[in-house]
Amino acid sequence: MKTNKTLYLVIPVILILLFSSCNFFDFFFTREKEDEEIGKFEDINIFDRIFLPNELTFITEYSMTSDENYLYAITTGDRNCPGQVVKVPKNGGKPLIKTLLNEARLAGFADSSPYDLESVDYYNHQLIVKTVPVWLQPEHGEFEIYCMNPENLSVQWRWVQEENGKLDYHVVGCSPIPRWNDYYIIYYAEEKKDDGFYIVFLDLNGNQVVKRFIQKSRPKDEGNICIVDNKLFLHQELEPLIIYDLGKLLDLNYNSNDCIDFSFSGEANIYSNIVTDGKTCYFCNIEIKNQDKHDCVMVLYAVSLSNYQTLWKCEFDDEHFDCINSILLYEGNIFLAADYGCVYCVNSKNGKLNWKTKISDETKWTNLLCEGCIVENYFVIPCASNSFLYYFDINTGKIKGKYNIPVFGGKRHCYVEGEYLYITTGSYIARLKLIEEG
């Protein structure tokens, strides 16, 4: 009798293992909590890729901008199907789509080559689009800047750099063209000129006003330039934070040695964008404690803009880190998202850590957080590894919403308007709203 009882216990266990290996119980058991959506969302598709003339064209994740009534986005492009500019009513009405190459040639720029569009931004009834030649297009070594009329997407003016030689495309970057007072500021470098880079000032009509070669350091990637008031902040890996007076840059007698170097204590490697409230600037870097033991730590800096002194430092003691993909300043707090899946909130006055949340216990390579934004009382971050959009309560760090939406990697530009988040997904533009239950 004892043997029979043992069999009665063993046989069900074997059957359970057998059926579960064949996904038999998927119909009866709920998914793990990590794979479920949290919260209730309103999801409205206001633009679909079916409106685009080529099935291989996608809405790029790099940039999206808006005015009062419309969103503006750009598409991927190549020689066979050049990039396009899309104007979408925020209510999801009929879009206006123009191919930039065609519009440029209609405006008289017959030598234009805007196949690949990199960014778009809206400034005071001007739509500024940055383009670069496709990689397999050796006859064009320059990038081009276009100003388009937001009403009908016609081209108003174009600027092209006239230097000889190939550009360093990492310097060109994918970030929108910065604007300072009544000038657009463009920066670029040449591939064989490692001792500096060029800064160009354009007026609102596209005329080149000032061009300076900065023989000091050079940016290597997008987001390395931040402009606030009359100062330009430039950072590069393994270099000090360099601060330029834009007024002096416009001065014909400007000397690049007049810039300010903010030197770190020990070796440093800046790994974030820069944010500022006009009085203090904040950024992250990696400090190397012991080169031989590969001992290093991620540090958030607060630096005074009046005397360039460090006000405070906040060290993060996590074992795994690579870079901070998002750093935002909002209502006295700094919100950070690290690529290994951790989100932090730090008090901007004293550097105290308010809270820390990790989205899962998986490895950093499967928690690739993208560029974030603030939507009402939420810090919102897309995760490229699992295609979820996470909504964190800004006061507690608790995950209030988790919504499955296609996220195809890279930095992402989300446009926020009140309680709504507009996000590009490649195939469509969605308008999302997290609805609080209860």
Side-chain angles (χ1 to χ4, degrees), residues 77-83 101 114-116 134-140:
D78 55 32
R79 187 187 291 272
N80 297 321
C81 184
L101 179 62
Y115 294 106
D116 194 6
V134 293
W135 291 104
L136 300 178
Q137 189 183 346
E139 66 270 22
H140 289 284

Side-chain angles (χ1 to χ4, degrees), residues 404-420:
N404 189 278
I405 189 168
V407 178
F408 55 99
K411 288 191 174 181
R412 180 165 308 279
H413 184 91
C414 301
Y415 176 75
V416 178
E417 188 175 77
E419 58 190 353
Y420 292 108

Side-chain angles (χ1 to χ4, degrees), residues 20-84:
S20 62
S21 65
C22 301
N23 297 321
F24 179 83
F25 285 91
D26 284 355
F27 296 100
F28 301 97
F29 290 97
T30 311
R31 293 178 298 168
E32 292 182 6
K33 191 173 183 180
E34 183 60 25
D35 295 328
E36 290 181 345
E37 294 176 358
I38 302 172
K40 183 179 179 183
F41 284 84
E42 175 186 285
D43 183 350
I44 299 177
N45 181 4
I46 67 169
F47 178 82
D48 198 282
R49 200 181 66 187
I50 61 173
F51 291 109
L52 299 174
N54 188 297
E55 61 181 8
L56 299 178
T57 300
F58 292 87
I59 306 161
T60 177
E61 78 273 24
Y62 290 129
S63 189
M64 184 165 60
T65 189
S66 85
D67 59 20
E68 185 177 351
N69 299 309
Y70 296 92
L71 292 172
Y72 301 91
I74 53 179
T75 72
T76 56
D78 55 32
R79 187 187 291 272
N80 297 321
C81 184
Q84 294 156 329

Side-chain angles (χ1 to χ4, degrees), residues 159 162 180 183-186 188 198-203 207-214 246-254:
W159 179 87
E162 72 279 1
W180 173 68
Y183 300 98
Y184 295 109
I185 298 181
I186 299 164
Y188 65 91
Y198 293 95
I199 288 185
V200 177
F201 291 78
L202 304 182
D203 65 20
N207 301 311
Q208 183 171 304
V209 178
V210 175
K211 176 181 173 183
R212 293 285 175 266
F213 182 73
I214 306 297
L246 289 172
K248 287 186 178 180
L249 279 172
L250 283 172
D251 186 349
L252 292 176
N253 298 318
Y254 173 77

Side-chain angles (χ1 to χ4, degrees), residues 148-166:
M148 304 183 75
N149 184 339
E151 294 293 331
N152 56 14
L153 301 186
S154 62
V155 171
Q156 304 299 296
W157 51 260
R158 178 191 71 161
W159 179 87
V160 182
Q161 64 86 22
E162 72 279 1
E163 294 298 316
N164 296 322
K166 298 295 181 183

Side-chain angles (χ1 to χ4, degrees), residues 312-359:
W312 52 258
K313 296 194 304 182
C314 177
E315 294 188 1
F316 302 102
D317 56 359
D318 300 278
E319 271 188 44
H320 304 290
F321 56 78
D322 188 2
C323 63
I324 299 293
N325 288 335
S326 180
I327 174 170
L328 291 172
L329 180 63
Y330 181 73
E331 293 188 350
N333 291 309
I334 301 169
F335 297 88
L336 306 98
D339 65 342
Y340 53 91
C342 269
V343 177
Y344 309 88
C345 177
V346 177
N347 187 302
S348 65
K349 300 300 181 185
N350 54 29
K352 180 182 177 182
L353 180 65
N354 295 330
W355 52 259
K356 167 188 171 182
T357 303
K358 197 173 191 305
I359 63 173

